[in-house]
Amino acid sequence: MNGLRSPARRRTTIAIGIAAIATLALAGCAEGGGDSGDSGSVEGETVSISGGITGTEADALQASFDAFTEDTGIIVEYTGDKGFEGNIVTKVQGGNAPDIAIVPQPGLLKTLVETGEVKEAPEGVVTNVDANWSPDWKSYGTFDDVFYAAPMLANIKGYVWYSPTKFEEWGVEVPKTWDELLTLTATIEEKSGGPAWCAGFESGDASGWPGTDWIEDLVLRNSGPEVYDQWVAGEVKFTDPEIKEAFDAVGEILLDPAAVNAGFGDVKSINSTAFANVAAPVANGTCPMTHQASFLSSNFLDVETADGNVPTVASDGDVYAFVLPGYEEGSATIEVGGEFVTAFSDDAATVAVLEYMSTPEFADARVSQGGVISANLNADPSLASSEFLTEAMTLLQDPNTTVRFDASDLMPSTVGAGSFWKGMVSWIDGKDTETVLSDIQAGYEN
């Protein structure tokens, strides 16, 4: 990934971009008397955005457009849909697409592009992405050499969230290898008298995706980036030994009745537990550890510690996280996820919003609202809402960090957002691993 560019250059670029949008708005008003039907006018226009971001995160996203609306007069209306992944293709095919969609998987983005309704990225967006992101991030929004969608926010997968206070109480330390993690699990079970882990796979139409993150982490860390890339490309199959090895390793935790599901029930309760609901038991001490991406930090803003306070996310605070270790110590490779901004309209107001969303200013506006990070190389990590998120964002911007995007998000949607998700649910429900792997692989035939 590229290194950071100078803050001075970043501020200059932002100023020019906003000034250009504002000039367009004022010119349109002067020529058209404020009539939003005139092609040059954007002031007073409404741009609709749809995505799977809901709750307080949706409120924070909406607030990120406040300054933009004040500067340009463009009204941005974001609508969050918990069933977004399952609904957006149907809406697009039915002629009911939003102006802009925030798409969480490149595989789903490709499916949308194949409808023929997605617009190519405007020139201003192309310029911004080239200036603000590494080429890898641009490639995820590119199909058949055509660039469609700019990256938005990012998250680092594969964190293990825990209580530093509890670790100190139990006399345990952050593990550096997979074997040390299993030893830690057994030690916590002995000292706490209960399961060491909690997990939640429920996510509406997307149920099962948290389990895919577990598998992807183990494939990446233990089989390496080359095998991971071949798996994403379909050259390594789910039924191959490297993938079964990852399932077997994850099963040592998620399928062990003694290890899960702290605060919720037995192994099968994983499927009925909403993925975000694991934050509360980690904060109040009823769940020692949970595996989830960096974005879980935002969920800690809505829960309480056992003392009734908002938990502090810090290395010496109420909750913190370490990267899930691999078999060998010192892996420098991380798995990431993120959203991509794609459009079904190319009117002037929509283009202005698209350009804004690809700037460091938008990234800074959203990051400063709390709970998230961005891979925008010119965004400011110090604006993140916790020590943890600042560290995570700095890691993303580090040119020495080897990054691989979430495998299921890159796979064809019939697999990555289909048979893989469903396979994880079936696996937790007790279906044998070999059958699950065959069922997932069959998604390539649909």
Side-chain angles (χ1 to χ4, degrees):
M1 302 182 80
N2 295 337
L4 292 173
R5 294 174 176 83
S6 72
R9 178 181 173 187
R10 176 172 66 84
R11 287 192 294 270
T12 301
T13 303
I14 293 169
I16 291 173
I18 293 297
I21 296 171
T23 299
L24 174 62
L26 293 174
C29 291
E31 294 172 4
D35 184 355
S36 62
D38 293 340
S39 61
S41 174
V42 293
E43 185 171 8
E45 291 284 342
T46 297
V47 175
S48 63
I49 303 179
S50 180
I53 301 168
T54 60
T56 57
E57 290 187 69
D59 295 337
L61 177 61
Q62 183 67 65
S64 302
F65 293 99
D66 289 349
F68 172 80
T69 296
E70 184 177 348
D71 288 338
T72 66
I74 298 172
I75 301 167
V76 178
E77 293 184 351
Y78 173 76
T79 301
D81 177 8
K82 290 184 177 180
F84 174 81
E85 291 91 342
N87 295 332
I88 185 61
V89 176
T90 301
K91 289 183 177 181
V92 171
Q93 292 174 333
N96 193 30
D99 295 318
I100 295 172
I102 299 174
V103 184
Q105 301 102 11
L108 177 57
L109 176 60
K110 182 179 180 182
T111 299
L112 290 171
V113 168
E114 290 171 348
T115 68
E117 300 299 321
V118 175
K119 305 297 183 183
E120 292 185 30
E123 183 177 348
V125 172
V126 175
T127 299
N128 286 343
V129 171
D130 286 342
N132 297 313
W133 271 272
S134 71
D136 287 344
W137 282 96
K138 184 179 181 182
S139 71
Y140 301 136
T142 302
F143 302 96
D144 295 327
D145 298 322
V146 178
F147 178 54
Y148 292 96
M152 193 181 80
L153 300 176
N155 56 80
I156 297 177
K157 304 278 188 170
Y159 278 111
V160 176
W161 293 87
Y162 71 103
S163 165
T165 302
K166 285 291 187 181
F167 269 37
E168 183 177 1
E169 176 186 325
W170 293 324
V172 297
E173 297 180 350
V174 170
K176 297 179 180 179
T177 66
W178 181 258
D179 283 343
E180 288 183 6
L181 180 68
L182 295 181
T183 299
L184 172 65
T185 297
T187 301
I188 291 176
E189 290 167 9
E190 179 183 351
K191 290 182 177 291
S192 69
W197 293 86
C198 60
F201 282 11
E202 197 282 319
S203 186
D205 291 337
S207 291
W209 70 258
T212 69
D213 285 355
W214 272 98
I215 302 300
E216 290 156 0
D217 278 343
L218 267 294
V219 172
L220 180 60
R221 286 166 176 72
N222 297 335
S223 295
E226 184 176 352
V227 169
Y228 188 90
D229 293 342
Q230 293 170 345
W231 182 40
V232 167
E235 297 165 6
V236 169
K237 298 180 179 180
F238 277 86
T239 49
D240 286 348
E242 297 91 339
I243 312 306
K244 183 179 184 300
E245 180 183 43
F247 269 79
D248 289 342
V250 174
E252 292 184 79
I253 293 175
L254 293 186
L255 299 185
D256 182 357
V260 292
N261 192 20
F264 296 103
D266 58 10
V267 171
K268 291 187 177 180
S269 71
I270 292 173
N271 281 334
S272 60
T273 300
F275 76 92
N277 287 355
V278 297
V282 173
N284 65 34
T286 57
C287 170
M289 294 186 291
T290 194
H291 174 273
Q292 192 49 270
S294 57
F295 62 69
L296 191 66
S297 62
S298 65
N299 296 101
F300 288 114
L301 302 174
D302 299 323
V303 299
E304 295 181 347
T305 64
D307 297 329
N309 299 314
V310 176
T312 301
V313 180
S315 56
D316 59 352
D318 299 304
V319 292
Y320 209 57
F322 59 87
V323 175
L324 184 77
Y327 290 161
E328 297 182 2
E329 183 178 340
S331 172
T333 302
I334 59 171
E335 182 191 8
V336 301
E339 300 99 354
F340 297 85
V341 181
T342 193
F344 302 95
S345 170
D346 56 6
D347 63 40
T350 299
V351 169
V353 174
L354 291 171
E355 290 181 353
Y356 171 64
M357 294 181 75
S358 59
T359 63
E361 182 186 54
F362 170 79
D364 286 347
R366 177 60 192 92
V367 167
S368 65
Q369 290 287 328
V372 299
I373 57 176
S374 171
N376 189 308
L377 296 172
N378 289 314
D380 184 356
S382 71
L383 295 175
S385 57
S386 69
E387 170 194 351
F388 167 75
L389 287 176
T390 294
E391 290 181 0
M393 191 164 163
T394 301
L395 179 63
L396 270 181
Q397 294 176 328
D398 188 337
N400 296 316
T401 301
T402 300
V403 171
R404 288 295 186 273
F405 202 86
D406 183 293
S408 61
D409 289 351
L410 294 174
M411 293 172 180
S413 58
T414 56
V415 178
S419 62
F420 199 178
W421 288 351
K422 293 176 182 177
M424 296 309 302
V425 172
S426 297
W427 190 56
I428 293 298
D429 276 341
K431 184 176 285 190
D432 68 277
T433 302
E434 288 79 7
T435 302
V436 167
L437 293 171
S438 295
D439 290 346
I440 298 173
Q441 185 63 31
Y444 282 100
E445 302 171 4
N446 295 332

